[in-house]
Amino acid sequence: LLVLQAGGGLVALGLVLVSSQSLTYILHAWSFRRAFPDFTIRFRLIQRKRFEEILSFGVRTLTGSIAQIVLNQGPALMVGRALPPSFVGFYTLPSRLLSYAVDAFARIGYITSPNTARQMALGDSDAVVRLGMFLNRYCLALFVPFGVFVFFWGHPLISLW
């Protein structure tokens, strides 16, 4: 906001974004070096087979990420192409509000996936079923307030926008 208020345009905004990301990476590297001062990377220890395995996984992950971005941003791009740009904001507001709620569920999944894998590796499928039931209940408890809010005040909120 400060860049835009100071009269900066899209290029200045892009420079701020790249600078802040670069600073974040530098600070992460600095923090890592402070936490693990003896850690060094030795290229001679890299195994070609393991590197190819990681690379093949990375290609699949990259392809999936690009597909997810196209799936999420494609409709807004079509709206922006067919209608004036201001319509994109109107179109994306409900999906952005919903994505914040869905993000909470994704974070729960990040936590429960390793636990589920552990229980399955131990052969305790009953624990996996119990975990699934608890997970569904917690997700319902997280989503119901959002759903109630949107049910009662969603139209006025979007009309205000």
Side-chain angles (χ1 to χ4, degrees):
L1 282 173
L2 294 175
V3 172
L4 294 175
Q5 287 176 345
L10 193 57
V11 173
L13 205 56
L15 287 173
V16 168
L17 175 69
V18 170
S19 300
S20 62
Q21 285 284 27
S22 299
L23 180 62
T24 301
Y25 294 142
I26 290 168
L27 289 175
H28 279 138
W30 177 72
S31 297
F32 183 84
R33 292 297 287 165
R34 286 191 65 204
F36 305 102
D38 296 332
F39 182 81
T40 56
I41 296 175
R42 294 186 179 92
F43 291 106
R44 63 183 167 84
L45 296 178
I46 295 175
Q47 298 173 357
R48 183 175 175 87
K49 182 180 176 188
R50 191 70 55 215
F51 181 73
E52 289 172 355
E53 181 181 336
I54 291 171
L55 186 64
S56 71
F57 176 75
V59 168
R60 289 191 298 266
T61 303
L62 177 66
T63 305
S65 296
I66 290 172
Q68 187 67 39
I69 289 169
V70 169
L71 185 64
N72 289 338
Q73 302 298 330
L77 186 65
M78 298 293 197
V79 168
R81 181 79 172 127
L83 299 171
S86 60
F87 281 68
V88 174
F90 291 116
Y91 175 80
T92 58
L93 176 68
S95 65
R96 291 288 179 202
L97 289 174
L98 189 60
S99 72
Y100 294 137
V102 170
D103 187 50
F105 303 123
R107 293 184 189 278
I108 291 172
Y110 297 149
I111 295 167
T112 57
S113 291
N115 194 8
T116 303
R118 177 180 173 271
Q119 296 299 333
M120 285 303 291
L122 294 173
D124 192 0
S125 58
D126 291 336
V128 174
V129 171
R130 284 192 307 274
L131 182 64
M133 289 188 316
F134 286 128
L135 181 62
N136 281 335
R137 290 176 187 159
Y138 288 130
C139 287
L140 179 66
L142 283 172
F143 197 72
V144 164
F146 179 76
V148 169
F149 176 81
V150 170
F151 182 76
F152 286 109
W153 296 290
H155 188 272
L157 176 69
I158 292 174
S159 297
L160 244 166
W161 178 260

CSV table of all heavy atoms in Angstrom, one decimal, residues 124-158:
chain,number,residue,atom,x,y,z
A,124,ASP,N,-2.6,-50.5,12.5
A,124,ASP,CA,-3.7,-50.1,13.4
A,124,ASP,C,-4.8,-49.4,12.6
A,124,ASP,O,-4.9,-48.2,12.7
A,124,ASP,CB,-3.2,-49.3,14.5
A,124,ASP,CG,-4.2,-49.1,15.6
A,124,ASP,OD1,-5.3,-49.6,15.5
A,124,ASP,OD2,-3.9,-48.4,16.6
A,125,SER,N,-5.5,-50.1,11.8
A,125,SER,CA,-6.5,-49.4,10.9
A,125,SER,C,-7.7,-48.9,11.7
A,125,SER,O,-8.4,-47.9,11.3
A,125,SER,CB,-7.0,-50.4,9.8
A,125,SER,OG,-7.6,-51.6,10.4
A,126,ASP,N,-8.0,-49.4,12.9
A,126,ASP,CA,-9.0,-48.9,13.7
A,126,ASP,C,-8.7,-47.5,14.2
A,126,ASP,O,-9.5,-46.6,14.3
A,126,ASP,CB,-9.2,-49.8,15.0
A,126,ASP,CG,-9.9,-51.1,14.6
A,126,ASP,OD1,-10.5,-51.2,13.6
A,126,ASP,OD2,-9.7,-52.1,15.4
A,127,ALA,N,-7.4,-47.2,14.5
A,127,ALA,CA,-7.0,-45.9,14.9
A,127,ALA,C,-7.1,-44.9,13.7
A,127,ALA,O,-7.5,-43.7,13.9
A,127,ALA,CB,-5.5,-45.9,15.3
A,128,VAL,N,-6.9,-45.4,12.5
A,128,VAL,CA,-7.1,-44.5,11.3
A,128,VAL,C,-8.6,-44.2,11.1
A,128,VAL,O,-8.9,-43.0,10.8
A,128,VAL,CB,-6.6,-45.2,10.0
A,128,VAL,CG1,-6.9,-44.4,8.8
A,128,VAL,CG2,-5.1,-45.5,10.1
A,129,VAL,N,-9.5,-45.1,11.4
A,129,VAL,CA,-10.9,-44.9,11.3
A,129,VAL,C,-11.3,-43.8,12.4
A,129,VAL,O,-12.0,-42.9,12.1
A,129,VAL,CB,-11.7,-46.2,11.4
A,129,VAL,CG1,-13.2,-45.9,11.6
A,129,VAL,CG2,-11.5,-47.1,10.2
A,130,ARG,N,-10.8,-44.0,13.6
A,130,ARG,CA,-11.1,-43.1,14.7
A,130,ARG,C,-10.6,-41.7,14.3
A,130,ARG,O,-11.3,-40.7,14.5
A,130,ARG,CB,-10.5,-43.6,16.0
A,130,ARG,CG,-11.3,-44.7,16.6
A,130,ARG,CD,-10.9,-44.9,18.1
A,130,ARG,NE,-9.4,-45.1,18.2
A,130,ARG,CZ,-8.8,-46.3,18.1
A,130,ARG,NH1,-9.5,-47.4,17.8
A,130,ARG,NH2,-7.5,-46.4,18.3
A,131,LEU,N,-9.4,-41.6,13.8
A,131,LEU,CA,-8.8,-40.3,13.4
A,131,LEU,C,-9.6,-39.7,12.3
A,131,LEU,O,-9.9,-38.5,12.4
A,131,LEU,CB,-7.4,-40.5,12.9
A,131,LEU,CG,-6.6,-39.3,12.5
A,131,LEU,CD1,-6.4,-38.4,13.7
A,131,LEU,CD2,-5.3,-39.6,11.9
A,132,GLY,N,-10.1,-40.5,11.3
A,132,GLY,CA,-11.0,-39.9,10.3
A,132,GLY,C,-12.3,-39.3,10.9
A,132,GLY,O,-12.7,-38.3,10.4
A,133,MET,N,-12.9,-40.0,11.9
A,133,MET,CA,-14.1,-39.5,12.5
A,133,MET,C,-13.8,-38.2,13.2
A,133,MET,O,-14.6,-37.3,13.1
A,133,MET,CB,-14.7,-40.6,13.4
A,133,MET,CG,-15.3,-41.7,12.7
A,133,MET,SD,-16.2,-42.9,13.7
A,133,MET,CE,-15.2,-43.1,15.1
A,134,PHE,N,-12.7,-38.2,14.0
A,134,PHE,CA,-12.4,-36.9,14.7
A,134,PHE,C,-12.1,-35.8,13.7
A,134,PHE,O,-12.5,-34.7,14.0
A,134,PHE,CB,-11.2,-37.2,15.6
A,134,PHE,CG,-11.5,-38.0,16.9
A,134,PHE,CD1,-10.8,-39.1,17.2
A,134,PHE,CD2,-12.6,-37.6,17.7
A,134,PHE,CE1,-11.1,-39.8,18.3
A,134,PHE,CE2,-12.9,-38.3,18.8
A,134,PHE,CZ,-12.1,-39.4,19.1
A,135,LEU,N,-11.4,-36.1,12.7
A,135,LEU,CA,-11.0,-35.1,11.7
A,135,LEU,C,-12.3,-34.5,11.0
A,135,LEU,O,-12.4,-33.3,10.9
A,135,LEU,CB,-10.1,-35.7,10.6
A,135,LEU,CG,-9.6,-34.8,9.5
A,135,LEU,CD1,-8.8,-33.7,10.1
A,135,LEU,CD2,-8.8,-35.6,8.5
A,136,ASN,N,-13.2,-35.4,10.7
A,136,ASN,CA,-14.5,-34.9,10.1
A,136,ASN,C,-15.2,-34.0,11.1
A,136,ASN,O,-15.8,-33.0,10.7
A,136,ASN,CB,-15.4,-36.0,9.7
A,136,ASN,CG,-14.9,-36.6,8.4
A,136,ASN,OD1,-14.3,-36.0,7.6
A,136,ASN,ND2,-15.3,-37.9,8.2
A,137,ARG,N,-15.3,-34.4,12.4
A,137,ARG,CA,-15.9,-33.6,13.4
A,137,ARG,C,-15.3,-32.2,13.5
A,137,ARG,O,-15.9,-31.2,13.6
A,137,ARG,CB,-16.0,-34.3,14.7
A,137,ARG,CG,-16.9,-35.5,14.7
A,137,ARG,CD,-16.8,-36.2,16.0
A,137,ARG,NE,-17.6,-37.5,15.9
A,137,ARG,CZ,-17.4,-38.5,16.6
A,137,ARG,NH1,-16.5,-38.5,17.6
A,137,ARG,NH2,-18.2,-39.6,16.5
A,138,TYR,N,-13.9,-32.2,13.6
A,138,TYR,CA,-13.2,-30.9,13.7
A,138,TYR,C,-13.4,-30.0,12.5
A,138,TYR,O,-13.6,-28.8,12.6
A,138,TYR,CB,-11.7,-31.2,14.0
A,138,TYR,CG,-11.4,-31.7,15.4
A,138,TYR,CD1,-10.6,-32.8,15.6
A,138,TYR,CD2,-12.0,-31.1,16.5
A,138,TYR,CE1,-10.4,-33.3,16.8
A,138,TYR,CE2,-11.7,-31.6,17.8
A,138,TYR,CZ,-10.9,-32.7,17.9
A,138,TYR,OH,-10.7,-33.2,19.2
A,139,CYS,N,-13.4,-30.6,11.3
A,139,CYS,CA,-13.6,-29.8,10.1
A,139,CYS,C,-15.0,-29.3,10.1
A,139,CYS,O,-15.2,-28.1,9.7
A,139,CYS,CB,-13.3,-30.7,8.9
A,139,CYS,SG,-11.6,-31.0,8.6
A,140,LEU,N,-16.0,-30.0,10.5
A,140,LEU,CA,-17.3,-29.5,10.6
A,140,LEU,C,-17.4,-28.4,11.6
A,140,LEU,O,-18.0,-27.3,11.4
A,140,LEU,CB,-18.3,-30.6,11.0
A,140,LEU,CG,-19.8,-30.2,11.2
A,140,LEU,CD1,-20.4,-29.8,9.8
A,140,LEU,CD2,-20.6,-31.3,11.8
A,141,ALA,N,-16.7,-28.5,12.8
A,141,ALA,CA,-16.7,-27.5,13.8
A,141,ALA,C,-16.0,-26.2,13.3
A,141,ALA,O,-16.4,-25.1,13.6
A,141,ALA,CB,-16.0,-28.0,15.0
A,142,LEU,N,-15.1,-26.3,12.4
A,142,LEU,CA,-14.4,-25.2,11.8
A,142,LEU,C,-15.3,-24.5,10.7
A,142,LEU,O,-15.3,-23.3,10.6
A,142,LEU,CB,-13.1,-25.6,11.2
A,142,LEU,CG,-11.9,-25.8,12.2
A,142,LEU,CD1,-10.7,-26.3,11.4
A,142,LEU,CD2,-11.5,-24.5,12.9
A,143,PHE,N,-15.9,-25.3,10.0
A,143,PHE,CA,-16.7,-24.8,8.8
A,143,PHE,C,-18.0,-24.3,9.1
A,143,PHE,O,-18.5,-23.4,8.4
A,143,PHE,CB,-16.7,-25.9,7.7
A,143,PHE,CG,-17.1,-25.3,6.4
A,143,PHE,CD1,-16.2,-24.6,5.7
A,143,PHE,CD2,-18.4,-25.5,5.8
A,143,PHE,CE1,-16.5,-24.1,4.4
A,143,PHE,CE2,-18.7,-25.0,4.6
A,143,PHE,CZ,-17.7,-24.3,3.9
A,144,VAL,N,-18.7,-24.8,10.1
A,144,VAL,CA,-20.1,-24.4,10.5
A,144,VAL,C,-20.2,-22.9,10.8
A,144,VAL,O,-21.0,-22.2,10.2
A,144,VAL,CB,-20.7,-25.2,11.6
A,144,VAL,CG1,-21.9,-24.6,12.2
A,144,VAL,CG2,-21.0,-26.6,11.1
A,145,PRO,N,-19.3,-22.3,11.6
A,145,PRO,CA,-19.4,-20.8,11.8
A,145,PRO,C,-19.2,-20.0,10.5
A,145,PRO,O,-20.0,-19.1,10.3
A,145,PRO,CB,-18.3,-20.5,12.8
A,145,PRO,CG,-17.9,-21.8,13.4
A,145,PRO,CD,-18.2,-22.9,12.4
A,146,PHE,N,-18.3,-20.4,9.7
A,146,PHE,CA,-18.2,-19.7,8.4
A,146,PHE,C,-19.4,-19.9,7.5
A,146,PHE,O,-19.9,-18.9,6.9
A,146,PHE,CB,-16.9,-20.3,7.7
A,146,PHE,CG,-16.7,-19.7,6.3
A,146,PHE,CD1,-16.2,-18.4,6.2
A,146,PHE,CD2,-17.0,-20.3,5.2
A,146,PHE,CE1,-16.0,-17.8,5.0
A,146,PHE,CE2,-16.8,-19.8,3.9
A,146,PHE,CZ,-16.3,-18.5,3.8
A,147,GLY,N,-20.0,-21.1,7.5
A,147,GLY,CA,-21.2,-21.3,6.7
A,147,GLY,C,-22.4,-20.5,7.2
A,147,GLY,O,-23.1,-20.0,6.4
A,148,VAL,N,-22.5,-20.5,8.5
A,148,VAL,CA,-23.6,-19.7,9.1
A,148,VAL,C,-23.5,-18.2,8.8
A,148,VAL,O,-24.4,-17.6,8.5
A,148,VAL,CB,-23.7,-20.0,10.7
A,148,VAL,CG1,-24.6,-19.0,11.3
A,148,VAL,CG2,-24.1,-21.4,10.9
A,149,PHE,N,-22.2,-17.7,8.9
A,149,PHE,CA,-22.0,-16.3,8.6
A,149,PHE,C,-22.3,-16.0,7.2
A,149,PHE,O,-23.0,-15.0,6.9
A,149,PHE,CB,-20.5,-16.0,8.9
A,149,PHE,CG,-20.1,-14.6,8.5
A,149,PHE,CD1,-20.4,-13.5,9.3
A,149,PHE,CD2,-19.5,-14.3,7.3
A,149,PHE,CE1,-20.1,-12.2,9.0
A,149,PHE,CE2,-19.2,-13.0,6.9
A,149,PHE,CZ,-19.5,-12.0,7.7
A,150,VAL,N,-21.9,-16.8,6.3
A,150,VAL,CA,-22.1,-16.6,4.8
A,150,VAL,C,-23.6,-16.7,4.6
A,150,VAL,O,-24.2,-16.0,3.8
A,150,VAL,CB,-21.3,-17.6,4.0
A,150,VAL,CG1,-21.7,-17.5,2.5
A,150,VAL,CG2,-19.8,-17.2,4.1
A,151,PHE,N,-24.3,-17.7,5.2
A,151,PHE,CA,-25.7,-17.9,5.0
A,151,PHE,C,-26.5,-16.6,5.4
A,151,PHE,O,-27.4,-16.2,4.7
A,151,PHE,CB,-26.2,-19.1,5.8
A,151,PHE,CG,-27.7,-19.4,5.6
A,151,PHE,CD1,-28.1,-20.0,4.4
A,151,PHE,CD2,-28.6,-19.0,6.6
A,151,PHE,CE1,-29.5,-20.2,4.2
A,151,PHE,CE2,-30.0,-19.3,6.4
A,151,PHE,CZ,-30.4,-19.9,5.2
A,152,PHE,N,-26.2,-16.0,6.5
A,152,PHE,CA,-26.9,-14.9,7.0
A,152,PHE,C,-26.4,-13.6,6.5
A,152,PHE,O,-27.2,-12.7,6.2
A,152,PHE,CB,-26.9,-14.9,8.6
A,152,PHE,CG,-27.8,-15.9,9.2
A,152,PHE,CD1,-27.3,-17.0,9.8
A,152,PHE,CD2,-29.2,-15.8,9.0
A,152,PHE,CE1,-28.1,-18.0,10.4
A,152,PHE,CE2,-30.0,-16.8,9.6
A,152,PHE,CZ,-29.5,-17.9,10.3
A,153,TRP,N,-25.1,-13.4,6.4
A,153,TRP,CA,-24.6,-12.1,6.0
A,153,TRP,C,-23.8,-12.1,4.7
A,153,TRP,O,-23.1,-11.1,4.4
A,153,TRP,CB,-23.7,-11.6,7.1
A,153,TRP,CG,-24.5,-11.3,8.4
A,153,TRP,CD1,-25.4,-10.3,8.6
A,153,TRP,CD2,-24.5,-12.1,9.6
A,153,TRP,NE1,-25.9,-10.4,9.8
A,153,TRP,CE2,-25.4,-11.5,10.5
A,153,TRP,CE3,-23.8,-13.2,10.0
A,153,TRP,CZ2,-25.6,-12.0,11.7
A,153,TRP,CZ3,-24.0,-13.7,11.2
A,153,TRP,CH2,-24.9,-13.1,12.1
A,154,GLY,N,-23.8,-13.2,4.0
A,154,GLY,CA,-23.0,-13.3,2.7
A,154,GLY,C,-23.5,-12.3,1.7
A,154,GLY,O,-22.7,-11.6,1.1
A,155,HIS,N,-24.8,-12.3,1.4
A,155,HIS,CA,-25.3,-11.4,0.4
A,155,HIS,C,-25.1,-9.9,0.7
A,155,HIS,O,-24.6,-9.2,-0.1
A,155,HIS,CB,-26.8,-11.6,0.2
A,155,HIS,CG,-27.4,-10.9,-1.0
A,155,HIS,ND1,-27.9,-9.6,-0.9
A,155,HIS,CD2,-27.5,-11.2,-2.3
A,155,HIS,CE1,-28.3,-9.2,-2.0
A,155,HIS,NE2,-28.1,-10.2,-2.9
A,156,PRO,N,-25.3,-9.5,2.0
A,156,PRO,CA,-25.0,-8.1,2.3
A,156,PRO,C,-23.5,-7.8,2.2
A,156,PRO,O,-23.1,-6.7,1.7
A,156,PRO,CB,-25.5,-7.9,3.7
A,156,PRO,CG,-26.5,-8.9,3.9
A,156,PRO,CD,-26.1,-10.1,3.1
A,157,LEU,N,-22.7,-8.7,2.6
A,157,LEU,CA,-21.2,-8.5,2.5
A,157,LEU,C,-20.8,-8.3,1.0
A,157,LEU,O,-20.1,-7.4,0.7
A,157,LEU,CB,-20.5,-9.7,3.1
A,157,LEU,CG,-19.0,-9.6,3.0
A,157,LEU,CD1,-18.4,-8.5,3.9
A,157,LEU,CD2,-18.3,-10.9,3.5
A,158,ILE,N,-21.3,-9.2,0.2
A,158,ILE,CA,-20.9,-9.2,-1.2
A,158,ILE,C,-21.5,-8.0,-1.9
A,158,ILE,O,-20.9,-7.3,-2.8
A,158,ILE,CB,-21.2,-10.5,-1.9
A,158,ILE,CG1,-20.3,-11.6,-1.4
A,158,ILE,CG2,-21.0,-10.4,-3.4
A,158,ILE,CD1,-20.6,-13.0,-1.9
